[in-house]
Amino acid sequence: DVDKLLHRRCYSAAELSTMFMSIRAACIYASLICHGAAGFSPSSRGSVVFPRTTSASSVRLHSMLPDDNNTPNNLVDMPPPIARPDPSILISAKDGSTQQNAVFAITAAITLGTCVIVSLLNGVETILPAGWFAAWRDYTWPAGLGLIFMAAGVSHFTVSDAFCSIVPPRGTWGGLWQVPAPLAEELGLTYAEYHTYWTGIAEAGGGLLLVGSGLGIFDVDVRIPAGLLGLLVFAITPANIYMYTHDAEMGSGVPPIPYPNGHYGRAVAQMVLLAFFWKLTFHY
């Protein structure tokens, strides 16, 4: 009986740990939806390498779970690690000029894709009966998008290390990335922390303003927060490009994005976000 109670206690601890990790990951994934990711380089068939380490928390959680023989091991098989690309095939392995051209091409592709999706939305608006598209836009977009951005903004503080790891260091892409961090030293922040925190505040504040204006709580034209959040999505695009060009991982319990197809999907999600904000801002 004592042995059963001990194993039951371990299992409860494992459940609580799993729940915490799931909630934390969900918060980050909400932010990933906002951030999208850029990746429009031709797919390479180079070799892949697997992570050399496994997180300590995963090992501890695995060892806590009892197996069929009532021994605290091997109840659940851990999922296989996601294959990582060979560093030699990444854009970051190319010369500075090639990296810069890739960044410009990715940005252009995102802009073009956004224009295509805006055109598709215009077509849907034309096809639907009068007022249907406006009702969908007015009653669902502000609240839905605003809540997503509020959750994303909070996650910049609750799991800040994850977002700091995808901030491009100054001089990235052959010296192309030279965005400053004013007053970072005076505030006691690193370069990555500075950009993680201000974007988190902007996302949470913009999301709150979008929800409030959409529901009529704030006497603010919904086009204002929609336009500002659209600009913010475009402004954080370099962080997502950095994830693709350098295979940067967020860590903090977030599985790495499959390379390269996972980045292509996130790029499309970013285009959809930009298109929605465009329609809210200029076709409201």
Side-chain angles (χ1 to χ4, degrees):
D1 293 336
V2 173
D3 185 63
K4 289 182 179 179
L5 287 174
L6 288 175
H7 287 302
R8 183 180 299 173
R9 186 176 183 180
C10 291
Y11 187 77
S12 298
E15 286 185 323
L16 291 173
S17 178
T18 303
M19 290 173 61
F20 173 75
M21 293 172 64
S22 299
I23 294 172
R24 182 175 64 175
C27 216
I28 300 175
Y29 285 136
S31 183
L32 291 179
I33 294 174
C34 301
H35 287 198
F40 288 88
S41 175
S43 173
S44 173
R45 298 182 181 272
S47 61
V48 296
V49 294
F50 291 90
R52 293 186 292 274
T53 60
T54 302
S55 68
S57 60
S58 297
V59 174
R60 289 196 300 270
L61 176 59
H62 188 271
S63 64
M64 290 172 62
L65 299 176
D67 63 8
D68 294 335
N69 297 321
N70 287 329
T71 57
N73 291 297
N74 303 323
L75 176 66
V76 179
D77 291 332
M78 300 302 289
I82 297 177
R84 305 318 307 154
D86 189 316
S88 64
I89 70 172
L90 298 174
I91 292 176
S92 59
K94 312 301 180 184
D95 62 87
S97 178
T98 301
Q99 293 185 46
Q100 294 173 11
N101 290 335
V103 172
F104 291 138
I106 291 169
T107 304
I110 291 176
T111 302
L112 179 61
T114 301
C115 293
V116 170
I117 296 176
V118 169
S119 297
L120 292 175
L121 289 174
N122 289 338
V124 172
E125 185 174 13
T126 302
I127 294 172
L128 291 176
W132 283 28
F133 186 91
W136 174 42
R137 178 197 62 209
D138 298 350
Y139 293 105
T140 63
W141 291 14
L145 292 173
L147 290 174
I148 290 175
F149 271 82
M150 288 172 63
V154 171
S155 68
H156 279 235
F157 296 89
T158 58
V159 283
S160 58
D161 289 347
F163 292 95
C164 286
S165 64
I166 62 172
V167 175
R170 293 192 72 168
T172 301
W173 302 307
L176 178 64
W177 183 252
Q178 294 294 339
V179 175
L183 301 178
E185 292 186 3
E186 289 80 354
L187 295 172
L189 301 175
T190 65
Y191 182 83
E193 288 173 338
Y194 179 89
H195 288 290
T196 294
Y197 294 152
W198 82 256
T199 53
I201 294 172
E203 288 179 4
L208 177 62
L209 190 60
L210 184 61
V211 171
S213 60
L215 296 177
I217 299 174
F218 302 141
D219 186 19
V220 178
D221 192 328
V222 75
R223 291 177 292 183
I224 295 176
L228 292 175
L229 286 175
L231 291 174
L232 180 62
V233 171
F234 198 81
I236 63 178
T237 295
N240 305 310
I241 296 178
Y242 178 69
M243 292 184 71
Y244 173 71
T245 59
H246 290 68
D247 191 38
E249 300 179 21
M250 299 186 74
S252 295
V254 183
I257 298 173
Y259 184 94
N261 294 333
H263 292 284
Y264 299 157
R266 291 183 63 222
V268 174
Q270 183 176 4
M271 296 174 196
V272 172
L273 273 177
L274 289 170
F276 272 41
F277 283 128
W278 179 273
K279 288 288 291 181
L280 273 174
T281 304
F282 297 105
H283 298 78
Y284 191 82

